[in-house]
Amino acid sequence: MHTHTASTAPALATPSRKRFFIMVLLFITVVINYLDRSNLSIAAPALTSDLGIDPVHVGLIFSAFGWTYAAMQIPGGWLVDRVPPRILYSVALALWSIATVMLGFAGSFIALFVLRMAVGALEAPAYPINSRVVTTWFPERERATAIGFYTSGQFVGLAFLTPVLAWLQHEFGWHMVFVSTGLVGIVWAVIWYAVYREPRDFKGANAAEIQLISDGGGLVDMQKSARQAKAGFSWTDLGIVLSKRKLWGIYLGQYCLNSTLWFFLTWFPTYLVKYRGMDFIKSGMLASLPFLAAFVGVLCSGFFSDWLVRRGASIGLARKLPIIGGLLISTCIIGANYVDSTPLVIACLALAFFGNGLASITWSLVSTLAPARLLGLTGGVFNFIGNLSAITTPIAIGFLATGDSFAPAITYIAVTALVGALSYILLVGKVERIEL
């Protein structure tokens, strides 16, 4: 423990910058998190051929993650309010990584289905923990940058590291896709436990930095509050976070935002190959452009939002402008229904996914709006409702994409993005912490 490091530092010292190291830790964790979500899509063609699994059962395996991930959000959020991030993240990381390694040795549909459900359930606390850590370590004016930076990790995994996993599969078989990503997660769980601490306990974080975080709205003593709130699950608390109009604005907005994301995580390759006649593998860089665009959008979002705060804009304007603007830009996906050339189709998709990335600082509003003692529970509900789209979007598109036309499905994604923008405009209102 290093509890005296901060308190004995000179009051007028230049603030240390350990919070940016924490931001890097979160970024790496998110990269690993999303690799463990996407590895099945990479291994699926060879895996299903080896095990003789038909397309219907492949769809069920793909859906297994979403069901348990959504179902465990509220319990996961409850845990975040009570278990320190150092412990909870280490345990969750290690367990979902072990389940990932075991996927490499699965030999049947049942084994694959159950293990993917396990990965989904065990990853559930991850984003509420991220929100909890950022709220503890960052002042309000830097929070969107931190959230945008670590959120970009999900697109780094999809855009840059997927080829690495594809190479692993080609050279060593589909088993190694799961074994390698799982082993990386186990190692990282150990590193997280060894390195992460709360601000007052973090070696090298001086008093000036802690004062800067606290004065800027960071909840540096949140763990102390958590120790004082060890009561069991309260239906009253759940009722509180389900009864606030402001919170429903971000809940519905997150559902709509994630609908676009899950289109790209599920149906995007099928759309390009089956409905646009592209060879997804050989198209290479062209097919990855939407993911790169989303990566740029995420980075722009955080920096732009915090720049607005530093320029004197209200928190509400600084946070909601990129989110609403990004959701409106995402509606441009409908343009793909009206063009035939491959570059124009990709341009529409890339613009839409850039908008999705630009809107991705939604967790900053969880940090700002949630009651202080219910931050984890609010984040759990937020992520639960948002990730229902992991279940509904693939199913809805499956019903809409009939015959030779994908146009109704693209229209559905565009309309959903518009509804998300309206949710933030009409329901959220003034951005301020809900006091109990």
Short mmCIF file of all heavy atoms in Angstrom, two decimals, residues 253-302:
data_model
loop_
_atom_site.label_atom_id
_atom_site.label_comp_id
_atom_site.label_asym_id
_atom_site.label_seq_id
_atom_site.Cartn_x
_atom_site.Cartn_y
_atom_site.Cartn_z
N GLY A 253 -30.94 5.59 -25.86
CA GLY A 253 -29.93 6.04 -26.80
C GLY A 253 -28.84 5.00 -26.99
O GLY A 253 -28.35 4.78 -28.11
N GLN A 254 -28.46 4.32 -25.90
CA GLN A 254 -27.42 3.30 -26.00
C GLN A 254 -27.90 2.09 -26.78
O GLN A 254 -27.13 1.48 -27.54
CB GLN A 254 -26.96 2.88 -24.60
CG GLN A 254 -25.76 1.96 -24.57
CD GLN A 254 -24.47 2.66 -25.00
OE1 GLN A 254 -24.48 3.83 -25.36
NE2 GLN A 254 -23.36 1.94 -24.96
N TYR A 255 -29.15 1.72 -26.60
CA TYR A 255 -29.72 0.62 -27.38
C TYR A 255 -29.62 0.92 -28.87
O TYR A 255 -29.21 0.07 -29.68
CB TYR A 255 -31.17 0.37 -26.98
CG TYR A 255 -31.86 -0.62 -27.87
CD1 TYR A 255 -31.78 -1.99 -27.62
CD2 TYR A 255 -32.60 -0.20 -28.99
CE1 TYR A 255 -32.40 -2.91 -28.46
CE2 TYR A 255 -33.22 -1.11 -29.83
CZ TYR A 255 -33.11 -2.46 -29.56
OH TYR A 255 -33.71 -3.37 -30.39
N CYS A 256 -29.99 2.14 -29.24
CA CYS A 256 -29.97 2.53 -30.65
C CYS A 256 -28.54 2.62 -31.18
O CYS A 256 -28.26 2.20 -32.31
CB CYS A 256 -30.69 3.86 -30.83
SG CYS A 256 -32.46 3.80 -30.43
N LEU A 257 -27.64 3.16 -30.37
CA LEU A 257 -26.23 3.25 -30.78
C LEU A 257 -25.65 1.87 -31.02
O LEU A 257 -24.98 1.61 -32.03
CB LEU A 257 -25.44 3.98 -29.70
CG LEU A 257 -23.93 4.13 -29.94
CD1 LEU A 257 -23.66 5.13 -31.06
CD2 LEU A 257 -23.22 4.57 -28.66
N ASN A 258 -25.91 0.96 -30.10
CA ASN A 258 -25.36 -0.40 -30.22
C ASN A 258 -25.98 -1.19 -31.37
O ASN A 258 -25.38 -2.16 -31.84
CB ASN A 258 -25.55 -1.17 -28.91
CG ASN A 258 -24.50 -0.81 -27.88
OD1 ASN A 258 -23.53 -0.13 -28.18
ND2 ASN A 258 -24.69 -1.26 -26.66
N SER A 259 -27.16 -0.80 -31.82
CA SER A 259 -27.78 -1.50 -32.94
C SER A 259 -26.91 -1.40 -34.20
O SER A 259 -26.74 -2.37 -34.93
CB SER A 259 -29.17 -0.94 -33.22
OG SER A 259 -30.05 -1.22 -32.14
N THR A 260 -26.36 -0.20 -34.44
CA THR A 260 -25.45 -0.04 -35.57
C THR A 260 -24.19 -0.88 -35.37
O THR A 260 -23.71 -1.54 -36.30
CB THR A 260 -25.07 1.44 -35.76
OG1 THR A 260 -26.25 2.21 -35.97
CG2 THR A 260 -24.13 1.62 -36.95
N LEU A 261 -23.64 -0.83 -34.15
CA LEU A 261 -22.44 -1.61 -33.86
C LEU A 261 -22.67 -3.10 -34.13
O LEU A 261 -21.84 -3.77 -34.77
CB LEU A 261 -22.02 -1.40 -32.40
CG LEU A 261 -20.88 -2.27 -31.88
CD1 LEU A 261 -19.59 -1.99 -32.64
CD2 LEU A 261 -20.68 -2.05 -30.38
N TRP A 262 -23.80 -3.63 -33.66
CA TRP A 262 -24.03 -5.06 -33.81
C TRP A 262 -24.36 -5.46 -35.24
O TRP A 262 -24.17 -6.61 -35.64
CB TRP A 262 -25.11 -5.55 -32.83
CG TRP A 262 -24.51 -5.74 -31.48
CD1 TRP A 262 -24.57 -4.89 -30.41
CD2 TRP A 262 -23.68 -6.84 -31.06
NE1 TRP A 262 -23.85 -5.39 -29.35
CE2 TRP A 262 -23.30 -6.57 -29.72
CE3 TRP A 262 -23.24 -8.00 -31.67
CZ2 TRP A 262 -22.48 -7.45 -28.99
CZ3 TRP A 262 -22.43 -8.87 -30.95
CH2 TRP A 262 -22.07 -8.58 -29.63
N PHE A 263 -24.83 -4.52 -36.05
CA PHE A 263 -24.92 -4.80 -37.49
C PHE A 263 -23.53 -5.09 -38.04
O PHE A 263 -23.32 -6.06 -38.78
CB PHE A 263 -25.54 -3.62 -38.24
CG PHE A 263 -25.23 -3.63 -39.72
CD1 PHE A 263 -25.81 -4.57 -40.55
CD2 PHE A 263 -24.34 -2.72 -40.27
CE1 PHE A 263 -25.50 -4.60 -41.92
CE2 PHE A 263 -24.03 -2.74 -41.62
CZ PHE A 263 -24.61 -3.68 -42.45
N PHE A 264 -22.56 -4.27 -37.68
CA PHE A 264 -21.21 -4.46 -38.19
C PHE A 264 -20.53 -5.70 -37.59
O PHE A 264 -19.68 -6.31 -38.25
CB PHE A 264 -20.36 -3.21 -37.93
CG PHE A 264 -20.61 -2.11 -38.93
CD1 PHE A 264 -21.50 -1.08 -38.65
CD2 PHE A 264 -19.97 -2.10 -40.15
CE1 PHE A 264 -21.74 -0.08 -39.57
CE2 PHE A 264 -20.19 -1.10 -41.07
CZ PHE A 264 -21.09 -0.08 -40.79
N LEU A 265 -20.90 -6.05 -36.36
CA LEU A 265 -20.29 -7.22 -35.74
C LEU A 265 -20.91 -8.53 -36.21
O LEU A 265 -20.33 -9.61 -35.99
CB LEU A 265 -20.42 -7.14 -34.22
CG LEU A 265 -19.60 -6.05 -33.51
CD1 LEU A 265 -19.86 -6.08 -32.01
CD2 LEU A 265 -18.12 -6.20 -33.79
N THR A 266 -22.08 -8.48 -36.84
CA THR A 266 -22.76 -9.72 -37.23
C THR A 266 -23.02 -9.81 -38.74
O THR A 266 -22.47 -10.66 -39.43
CB THR A 266 -24.09 -9.87 -36.47
OG1 THR A 266 -24.90 -8.71 -36.68
CG2 THR A 266 -23.83 -10.05 -34.97
N TRP A 267 -23.84 -8.90 -39.28
CA TRP A 267 -24.33 -9.04 -40.66
C TRP A 267 -23.45 -8.34 -41.70
O TRP A 267 -23.66 -8.55 -42.90
CB TRP A 267 -25.75 -8.49 -40.76
CG TRP A 267 -26.79 -9.44 -40.27
CD1 TRP A 267 -27.33 -9.50 -39.03
CD2 TRP A 267 -27.41 -10.47 -41.03
NE1 TRP A 267 -28.26 -10.52 -38.96
CE2 TRP A 267 -28.33 -11.13 -40.18
CE3 TRP A 267 -27.29 -10.92 -42.34
CZ2 TRP A 267 -29.11 -12.19 -40.61
CZ3 TRP A 267 -28.07 -11.97 -42.77
CH2 TRP A 267 -28.98 -12.61 -41.90
N PHE A 268 -22.53 -7.52 -41.30
CA PHE A 268 -21.73 -6.75 -42.24
C PHE A 268 -21.02 -7.62 -43.28
O PHE A 268 -21.14 -7.37 -44.49
CB PHE A 268 -20.73 -5.89 -41.45
CG PHE A 268 -19.74 -5.14 -42.29
CD1 PHE A 268 -20.15 -4.34 -43.34
CD2 PHE A 268 -18.38 -5.21 -42.01
CE1 PHE A 268 -19.24 -3.62 -44.12
CE2 PHE A 268 -17.45 -4.51 -42.78
CZ PHE A 268 -17.89 -3.72 -43.84
N PRO A 269 -20.30 -8.70 -42.89
CA PRO A 269 -19.66 -9.54 -43.92
C PRO A 269 -20.67 -10.17 -44.88
O PRO A 269 -20.44 -10.23 -46.09
CB PRO A 269 -18.93 -10.60 -43.11
CG PRO A 269 -18.73 -9.99 -41.76
CD PRO A 269 -19.96 -9.16 -41.53
N THR A 270 -21.80 -10.64 -44.33
CA THR A 270 -22.83 -11.26 -45.18
C THR A 270 -23.39 -10.25 -46.17
O THR A 270 -23.64 -10.56 -47.34
CB THR A 270 -23.96 -11.82 -44.30
OG1 THR A 270 -23.41 -12.80 -43.41
CG2 THR A 270 -25.05 -12.46 -45.15
N TYR A 271 -23.61 -9.02 -45.72
CA TYR A 271 -24.13 -7.96 -46.59
C TYR A 271 -23.18 -7.73 -47.77
O TYR A 271 -23.60 -7.64 -48.93
CB TYR A 271 -24.32 -6.68 -45.79
CG TYR A 271 -24.67 -5.47 -46.63
CD1 TYR A 271 -25.84 -5.41 -47.36
CD2 TYR A 271 -23.80 -4.38 -46.68
CE1 TYR A 271 -26.16 -4.30 -48.13
CE2 TYR A 271 -24.10 -3.25 -47.43
CZ TYR A 271 -25.28 -3.22 -48.16
OH TYR A 271 -25.59 -2.11 -48.91
N LEU A 272 -21.87 -7.64 -47.47
CA LEU A 272 -20.91 -7.38 -48.53
C LEU A 272 -20.82 -8.54 -49.52
O LEU A 272 -20.78 -8.33 -50.74
CB LEU A 272 -19.52 -7.12 -47.94
CG LEU A 272 -19.34 -5.85 -47.10
CD1 LEU A 272 -17.90 -5.72 -46.64
CD2 LEU A 272 -19.77 -4.60 -47.87
N VAL A 273 -20.82 -9.76 -49.00
CA VAL A 273 -20.60 -10.93 -49.85
C VAL A 273 -21.87 -11.32 -50.60
O VAL A 273 -21.87 -11.46 -51.83
CB VAL A 273 -20.08 -12.11 -49.01
CG1 VAL A 273 -19.99 -13.37 -49.86
CG2 VAL A 273 -18.72 -11.77 -48.42
N LYS A 274 -22.96 -11.48 -49.86
CA LYS A 274 -24.19 -12.02 -50.46
C LYS A 274 -24.99 -10.98 -51.23
O LYS A 274 -25.54 -11.28 -52.29
CB LYS A 274 -25.06 -12.65 -49.37
CG LYS A 274 -26.33 -13.29 -49.91
CD LYS A 274 -27.12 -13.99 -48.80
CE LYS A 274 -28.39 -14.61 -49.35
NZ LYS A 274 -29.18 -15.27 -48.30
N TYR A 275 -25.05 -9.75 -50.69
CA TYR A 275 -25.93 -8.75 -51.29
C TYR A 275 -25.19 -7.73 -52.14
O TYR A 275 -25.80 -7.00 -52.90
CB TYR A 275 -26.73 -8.03 -50.20
CG TYR A 275 -27.69 -8.95 -49.49
CD1 TYR A 275 -27.32 -9.65 -48.36
CD2 TYR A 275 -28.99 -9.14 -49.99
CE1 TYR A 275 -28.20 -10.51 -47.71
CE2 TYR A 275 -29.87 -10.00 -49.36
CZ TYR A 275 -29.47 -10.68 -48.22
OH TYR A 275 -30.35 -11.53 -47.58
N ARG A 276 -23.85 -7.66 -51.99
CA ARG A 276 -23.07 -6.73 -52.80
C ARG A 276 -22.04 -7.42 -53.67
O ARG A 276 -21.29 -6.76 -54.39
CB ARG A 276 -22.38 -5.70 -51.88
CG ARG A 276 -23.35 -4.68 -51.29
CD ARG A 276 -23.96 -3.83 -52.40
NE ARG A 276 -24.89 -2.84 -51.89
CZ ARG A 276 -25.50 -1.94 -52.65
NH1 ARG A 276 -25.28 -1.91 -53.96
NH2 ARG A 276 -26.35 -1.08 -52.12
N GLY A 277 -21.96 -8.74 -53.60
CA GLY A 277 -21.10 -9.50 -54.48
C GLY A 277 -19.62 -9.30 -54.28
O GLY A 277 -18.82 -9.48 -55.20
N MET A 278 -19.21 -8.92 -53.05
CA MET A 278 -17.80 -8.70 -52.77
C MET A 278 -17.18 -9.96 -52.17
O MET A 278 -17.85 -10.74 -51.50
CB MET A 278 -17.62 -7.54 -51.79
CG MET A 278 -17.96 -6.18 -52.35
SD MET A 278 -17.77 -4.88 -51.10
CE MET A 278 -16.03 -5.05 -50.70
N ASP A 279 -15.90 -10.13 -52.42
CA ASP A 279 -15.13 -11.17 -51.75
C ASP A 279 -14.55 -10.54 -50.49
O ASP A 279 -13.62 -9.75 -50.55
CB ASP A 279 -14.00 -11.67 -52.66
CG ASP A 279 -13.25 -12.84 -52.05
OD1 ASP A 279 -13.03 -12.82 -50.82
OD2 ASP A 279 -12.89 -13.76 -52.80
N PHE A 280 -15.14 -10.88 -49.36
CA PHE A 280 -14.79 -10.18 -48.11
C PHE A 280 -13.33 -10.38 -47.74
O PHE A 280 -12.68 -9.47 -47.24
CB PHE A 280 -15.68 -10.68 -46.97
CG PHE A 280 -15.44 -9.98 -45.65
CD1 PHE A 280 -15.74 -8.64 -45.51
CD2 PHE A 280 -14.90 -10.66 -44.57
CE1 PHE A 280 -15.52 -7.99 -44.32
CE2 PHE A 280 -14.68 -10.02 -43.37
CZ PHE A 280 -15.00 -8.68 -43.24
N ILE A 281 -12.78 -11.54 -47.98
CA ILE A 281 -11.39 -11.80 -47.61
C ILE A 281 -10.45 -11.00 -48.51
O ILE A 281 -9.55 -10.30 -48.04
CB ILE A 281 -11.07 -13.30 -47.69
CG1 ILE A 281 -12.01 -14.09 -46.76
CG2 ILE A 281 -9.61 -13.54 -47.32
CD1 ILE A 281 -11.91 -13.71 -45.30
N LYS A 282 -10.66 -11.09 -49.85
CA LYS A 282 -9.76 -10.43 -50.79
C LYS A 282 -9.93 -8.91 -50.80
O LYS A 282 -9.04 -8.19 -51.22
CB LYS A 282 -9.99 -10.99 -52.20
CG LYS A 282 -9.56 -12.45 -52.35
CD LYS A 282 -9.75 -12.94 -53.77
CE LYS A 282 -9.32 -14.39 -53.91
NZ LYS A 282 -9.51 -14.90 -55.28
N SER A 283 -11.07 -8.43 -50.36
CA SER A 283 -11.29 -6.98 -50.37
C SER A 283 -10.41 -6.26 -49.37
O SER A 283 -10.16 -5.07 -49.49
CB SER A 283 -12.76 -6.65 -50.10
OG SER A 283 -13.14 -7.13 -48.83
N GLY A 284 -9.95 -7.00 -48.36
CA GLY A 284 -8.91 -6.51 -47.44
C GLY A 284 -9.19 -5.15 -46.86
O GLY A 284 -10.14 -4.94 -46.12
N MET A 285 -8.36 -4.20 -47.22
CA MET A 285 -8.39 -2.86 -46.64
C MET A 285 -9.73 -2.18 -46.88
O MET A 285 -10.24 -1.46 -46.02
CB MET A 285 -7.26 -2.01 -47.23
CG MET A 285 -7.07 -0.68 -46.56
SD MET A 285 -6.54 -0.87 -44.84
CE MET A 285 -6.51 0.85 -44.34
N LEU A 286 -10.32 -2.40 -48.05
CA LEU A 286 -11.59 -1.76 -48.37
C LEU A 286 -12.66 -2.14 -47.37
O LEU A 286 -13.42 -1.30 -46.89
CB LEU A 286 -12.01 -2.16 -49.79
CG LEU A 286 -13.16 -1.35 -50.41
CD1 LEU A 286 -12.77 0.10 -50.56
CD2 LEU A 286 -13.53 -1.95 -51.77
N ALA A 287 -12.74 -3.44 -47.04
CA ALA A 287 -13.75 -3.90 -46.11
C ALA A 287 -13.48 -3.47 -44.67
O ALA A 287 -14.38 -3.42 -43.85
CB ALA A 287 -13.86 -5.43 -46.17
N SER A 288 -12.22 -3.14 -44.39
CA SER A 288 -11.88 -2.70 -43.02
C SER A 288 -12.06 -1.21 -42.82
O SER A 288 -11.96 -0.72 -41.69
CB SER A 288 -10.43 -3.09 -42.68
OG SER A 288 -9.52 -2.30 -43.41
N LEU A 289 -12.33 -0.46 -43.89
CA LEU A 289 -12.44 0.99 -43.78
C LEU A 289 -13.52 1.45 -42.78
O LEU A 289 -13.28 2.40 -42.03
CB LEU A 289 -12.70 1.61 -45.15
CG LEU A 289 -11.48 1.71 -46.07
CD1 LEU A 289 -11.88 2.27 -47.43
CD2 LEU A 289 -10.41 2.59 -45.44
N PRO A 290 -14.71 0.81 -42.74
CA PRO A 290 -15.68 1.24 -41.73
C PRO A 290 -15.15 1.10 -40.30
O PRO A 290 -15.42 1.97 -39.46
CB PRO A 290 -16.88 0.32 -41.97
CG PRO A 290 -16.79 -0.02 -43.43
CD PRO A 290 -15.32 -0.15 -43.69
N PHE A 291 -14.38 0.05 -40.01
CA PHE A 291 -13.84 -0.12 -38.67
C PHE A 291 -12.78 0.94 -38.38
O PHE A 291 -12.70 1.48 -37.27
CB PHE A 291 -13.25 -1.52 -38.50
CG PHE A 291 -14.27 -2.62 -38.60
CD1 PHE A 291 -14.35 -3.42 -39.72
CD2 PHE A 291 -15.17 -2.83 -37.57
CE1 PHE A 291 -15.30 -4.42 -39.81
CE2 PHE A 291 -16.11 -3.84 -37.64
CZ PHE A 291 -16.19 -4.63 -38.77
N LEU A 292 -11.97 1.27 -39.39
CA LEU A 292 -10.99 2.33 -39.21
C LEU A 292 -11.68 3.68 -39.01
O LEU A 292 -11.25 4.51 -38.21
CB LEU A 292 -10.06 2.39 -40.42
CG LEU A 292 -9.18 1.16 -40.66
CD1 LEU A 292 -8.41 1.30 -41.96
CD2 LEU A 292 -8.20 0.98 -39.50
N ALA A 293 -12.77 3.89 -39.75
CA ALA A 293 -13.53 5.13 -39.61
C ALA A 293 -14.13 5.24 -38.20
O ALA A 293 -14.13 6.32 -37.60
CB ALA A 293 -14.65 5.19 -40.66
N ALA A 294 -14.62 4.12 -37.68
CA ALA A 294 -15.16 4.13 -36.31
C ALA A 294 -14.07 4.44 -35.31
O ALA A 294 -14.28 5.18 -34.33
CB ALA A 294 -15.81 2.79 -36.00
N PHE A 295 -12.89 3.88 -35.53
CA PHE A 295 -11.74 4.15 -34.66
C PHE A 295 -11.42 5.64 -34.63
O PHE A 295 -11.24 6.25 -33.56
CB PHE A 295 -10.55 3.34 -35.16
CG PHE A 295 -9.25 3.61 -34.45
CD1 PHE A 295 -9.05 3.18 -33.15
CD2 PHE A 295 -8.24 4.31 -35.08
CE1 PHE A 295 -7.85 3.43 -32.49
CE2 PHE A 295 -7.04 4.56 -34.44
CZ PHE A 295 -6.85 4.12 -33.15
N VAL A 296 -11.39 6.26 -35.80
CA VAL A 296 -11.14 7.71 -35.87
C VAL A 296 -12.27 8.48 -35.19
O VAL A 296 -12.03 9.46 -34.46
CB VAL A 296 -10.99 8.15 -37.35
CG1 VAL A 296 -10.91 9.68 -37.45
CG2 VAL A 296 -9.76 7.51 -37.97
N GLY A 297 -13.50 8.04 -35.38
CA GLY A 297 -14.64 8.71 -34.77
C GLY A 297 -14.59 8.69 -33.26
O GLY A 297 -14.88 9.70 -32.61
N VAL A 298 -14.20 7.56 -32.70
CA VAL A 298 -14.09 7.45 -31.24
C VAL A 298 -13.05 8.42 -30.70
O VAL A 298 -13.28 9.14 -29.73
CB VAL A 298 -13.73 6.01 -30.82
CG1 VAL A 298 -13.40 5.94 -29.34
CG2 VAL A 298 -14.88 5.07 -31.13
N LEU A 299 -11.88 8.46 -31.33
CA LEU A 299 -10.82 9.35 -30.86
C LEU A 299 -11.24 10.82 -30.99
O LEU A 299 -11.01 11.62 -30.08
CB LEU A 299 -9.53 9.09 -31.65
CG LEU A 299 -8.88 7.73 -31.45
CD1 LEU A 299 -7.60 7.64 -32.27
CD2 LEU A 299 -8.57 7.48 -29.98
N CYS A 300 -11.85 11.17 -32.12
CA CYS A 300 -12.31 12.54 -32.32
C CYS A 300 -13.36 12.92 -31.28
O CYS A 300 -13.38 14.06 -30.78
CB CYS A 300 -12.90 12.71 -33.72
SG CYS A 300 -11.71 12.64 -35.06
N SER A 301 -14.22 11.99 -30.94
CA SER A 301 -15.32 12.27 -30.02
C SER A 301 -14.83 12.75 -28.66
O SER A 301 -15.25 13.80 -28.16
CB SER A 301 -16.17 11.01 -29.84
OG SER A 301 -17.25 11.24 -28.96
N GLY A 302 -13.94 11.98 -28.05
CA GLY A 302 -13.45 12.35 -26.73
C GLY A 302 -12.70 13.65 -26.72
O GLY A 302 -12.93 14.52 -25.87
#
